[in-house]
Amino acid sequence: MTAKLYSYFRSSAAYRVRIALGLKGLDWQTVPVHLLQGGGQQHSAGYRATNPQALVPALQLDEGEGAAVLTQSLAIIEYLEETRGGAPLLPPDALGRARVRALAQSIACDLHPLNNLRVLAYLKHTLGVDDEAKNAWYAHWVALGLSALEQSLATSSATGRYCHGDTPGLADCCLVPQVYNARRFNCPLDGYPTIARIVAACDELPAFEAAAPERQPDAA
Amino acid sequence: MTAKLYSYFRSSAAYRVRIALGLKGLDWQTVPVHLLQGGGQQHSAGYRATNPQALVPALQLDEGEGAAVLTQSLAIIEYLEETRGGAPLLPPDALGRARVRALAQSIACDLHPLNNLRVLAYLKHTLGVDDEAKNAWYAHWVALGLSALEQSLATSSATGRYCHGDTPGLADCCLVPQVYNARRFNCPLDGYPTIARIVAACDELPAFEAAAPERQPDAA
């Protein structure tokens, strides 16, 4: 397949899908959607016809799959897992899958959505929050999310070189972009040694390296 | 199985799992975790040992499954789907599953987390936002989320009596609690006729009725 990935280089959610595509050994074509230029290209009528949520990523499959458009990063990755070969991104046992999905969702549902662009913009422009309070908001949800995640990872024998065993998977696809963003916002990460160790292990893999924001065609 | 569901009657995420358990025809025992009493029982050391995220729901499986604790509502429902019989909560085809998961995640990732208790508390107590602005925040994310969802549902031939075809599933498990909460906060829902029609259809089903907040043992 050469699917089209509607992506923004700094979007955490698009970054997750780029990692998953890479781990599966798949090719894709990037369609940049600049979230800041011109008031945000994601709000254009053209992009809203692709994804009514006006969020990235969206993955448009090729004609062989009816050119269907998939949205929501975790749903896209589950689709790739079900339909493509390559490295498995979920473990073979149901309890393991439940663990990996829960780790992924603790980031994708409870951490990232609180700190994404549209929320920070609302805080600033609608609530009139100053930069200091906005940064404190960001750091608060990062600390809350990552400390719980650190505890889950550090106390489970299921954690290996990666979030689950010694194979990178769905949870790692979510963790690495979240930590990338936390670093970009200067959030202290000293308290999360297990997370730091796993991210360092991921960073050695070509799929993670190729998916990094600065490696994207639309990188500033 | 008689699993234990750590639940709060008004929690949207716990409500989703209650619906799924009911649709599968499973029994469960409710362990109430009061999110407001005593500063929030979810923050107790005992509950944090069960779920380091200090969020509900958590589902503790019985001894036959090693008394494992599952967290994150969508991961729990996927586990039930994989391991239990009863009504399927995901469609049989991969594209259909991707659609249903994306609809569910548009609520579980992009709408609900912005409006849950801990976020509203941060707005009020840390940012000093007044009730009017807090309610406007709530209504803003509801309107943004539901209008995109309405468009996705109204324009797709895959939508049936329920979110996907004529069988209730994962997306409906997320939609009904979200609409319940929006009504509780007096958000206008006139603009979402497809959503309203689907919720009305769900409300006729015993599993949805039994899962409603006011029917729970811990209802105020």
Side-chain angles (χ1 to χ4, degrees), chain A residues 6 33 38 40-54, chain B residues 151:
Chain A
Y6 293 86
V33 180
Q41 295 174 353
Q42 73 277 23
H43 300 300
S44 69
Y47 187 68
R48 280 182 181 275
T50 300
N51 182 4
Q53 272 207 289
Chain B
Q151 189 181 336

Side-chain angles (χ1 to χ4, degrees), chain A residues 72 82 97 109-110 113 118, chain B residues 72 82 97 109-110 113 118:
Chain A
Q72 289 290 336
E82 291 183 351
R97 282 193 295 278
C109 299
D110 292 321
R118 61 185 194 162
Chain B
Q72 289 290 337
E82 290 183 353
R97 281 193 295 278
C109 298
D110 292 320
R118 60 185 195 162

Side-chain angles (χ1 to χ4, degrees), chain A residues 52-53 55 71-72 74-75 78-79 82 94 97 101-102 105-106 108-110 113-114 118-119 122 137 140 144, chain B residues 53 55 71-72 74-75 78-79 82 94 97 101-102 105-106 108-110 113-114 118-119 122 137 140 144 152:
Chain A
Q53 272 207 289
L55 296 171
T71 61
Q72 289 290 336
L74 299 188
E78 294 262 2
Y79 180 84
E82 291 183 351
R97 282 193 295 278
R101 287 182 175 128
Q105 290 164 19
S106 77
C109 299
D110 292 321
L114 294 164
R118 61 185 194 162
V119 173
Y122 190 99
W137 163 283
H140 174 78
L144 206 63
Chain B
Q53 273 206 290
L55 295 171
T71 61
Q72 289 290 337
L74 299 188
E78 294 262 4
Y79 180 84
E82 290 183 353
R97 281 193 295 278
R101 287 181 176 128
Q105 289 164 20
S106 77
C109 298
D110 292 320
L114 294 164
R118 60 185 195 162
V119 173
Y122 190 99
W137 163 283
H140 174 78
L144 206 62
S152 294

Side-chain angles (χ1 to χ4, degrees), chain B residues 99-118:
Chain B
R99 177 174 183 266
V100 169
R101 287 181 176 128
L103 294 171
Q105 289 164 20
S106 77
I107 295 170
C109 298
D110 292 320
L111 204 180
H112 171 66
L114 294 164
N115 282 345
N116 73 7
L117 189 64
R118 60 185 195 162

Side-chain angles (χ1 to χ4, degrees), chain B residues 1-167:
Chain B
M1 94 171 176
T2 306
K4 286 183 190 169
L5 181 67
Y6 293 86
S7 173
Y8 177 61
F9 72 114
R10 273 185 177 153
S11 156
S12 251
Y15 190 175
R16 292 173 200 149
V17 175
R18 296 194 302 258
I19 296 168
L21 287 163
L23 287 171
K24 290 273 179 203
L26 300 167
D27 287 328
W28 73 92
Q29 181 192 340
T30 298
V31 183
V33 180
H34 202 294
L35 301 188
L36 298 171
Q37 276 178 4
Q41 295 174 353
Q42 73 278 23
H43 299 302
S44 69
Y47 187 68
R48 279 182 182 276
T50 299
N51 182 3
Q53 273 206 290
L55 295 171
V56 293
L59 186 71
Q60 181 157 29
L61 303 172
D62 66 18
E63 294 300 330
E65 290 175 289
V69 175
L70 309 184
T71 61
Q72 289 290 337
S73 61
L74 299 188
I76 293 170
I77 296 172
E78 294 262 4
Y79 180 84
L80 296 174
E81 178 72 357
E82 290 183 353
T83 60
R84 265 62 180 179
L89 302 178
L90 289 169
D93 60 305
L95 277 175
R97 281 193 295 278
R99 177 174 183 266
V100 169
R101 287 181 176 128
L103 294 171
Q105 289 164 20
S106 77
I107 295 170
C109 298
D110 292 320
L111 204 180
H112 171 66
L114 294 164
N115 282 345
N116 73 7
L117 189 64
R118 60 185 195 162
V119 173
L120 301 179
Y122 190 99
L123 288 172
K124 182 169 181 177
H125 300 300
T126 305
L127 292 181
V129 162
D130 65 22
D131 279 351
E132 190 183 349
K134 182 164 70 74
N135 292 338
W137 163 283
Y138 191 100
H140 174 78
W141 301 113
V142 165
L144 206 62
L146 292 189
S147 57
L149 191 62
E150 174 68 25
Q151 189 181 336
S152 294
L153 290 169
T155 59
S156 169
S157 61
T159 305
R161 179 168 172 82
Y162 304 104
C163 285
H164 193 81
D166 295 328
T167 310

